Amino acid sequence: MLESLLAGDDEASVIALATLRSGATYWVADRALPAGQHAGVFNRRLRRMRLHGLEPLGLERAVQLVREHGRPVRTGLIDAADRTWMTLLFLTEDGSALVACAGWPLPLIRKPPL
């Protein structure tokens, strides 16, 4: 089921699908939370990641899409079998459609300040 939701052609969705097909594990929340709450939390996380020299793939766009969606969303995670990549999913309240996804390499290593 999750594979069919990752049919988008954006880079984050393509990587998420490939990761899932390569034996990744995944988890999806049982309940949805307000879109604005998720957008606020992940916008702050994006800023914090950038402060440390990290640029998560598609997170800025995902925050924008979740905010525009305006209805409650469920989150999910896809964890690569080799623990080298993490994908964050935002699904519609009933889990039937993907609102957005983003990803980043693991482990999250902070770059030293210049």
Side-chain angles (χ1 to χ4, degrees), residues 24-112:
T25 58
Y26 68 92
W27 164 89
V28 175
D30 292 331
R31 65 184 192 121
L33 294 174
Q37 183 175 340
H38 282 303
V41 166
F42 286 99
N43 191 48
R44 286 188 297 279
R45 289 184 184 177
L46 173 62
R47 288 195 314 260
R48 194 170 35 228
M49 288 174 145
R50 285 177 170 166
L51 283 174
H52 294 288
L54 302 168
E55 185 59 42
L57 179 64
L59 188 54
E60 183 174 15
R61 178 78 174 135
V63 167
Q64 177 185 350
L65 290 171
V66 167
R67 189 171 279 126
E68 289 172 4
H69 179 68
R71 294 180 300 283
V73 293
R74 294 167 64 178
T75 55
L77 294 173
I78 299 173
D79 188 16
D82 63 3
R83 299 281 299 144
T84 59
W85 190 261
M86 176 71 66
T87 300
L88 171 65
L89 306 171
F90 295 99
L91 305 166
T92 55
E93 187 169 10
D94 64 2
S96 66
L98 181 70
V99 175
C101 71
W104 49 87
L106 294 174
L108 287 175
I109 299 174
R110 297 176 179 180
K111 294 180 182 176

Side-chain angles (χ1 to χ4, degrees), residues 12-36:
S13 294
V14 170
I15 292 173
L17 182 57
T19 303
L20 189 61
R21 287 180 173 165
S22 69
T25 58
Y26 68 92
W27 164 89
V28 175
D30 292 331
R31 65 184 192 121
L33 294 174

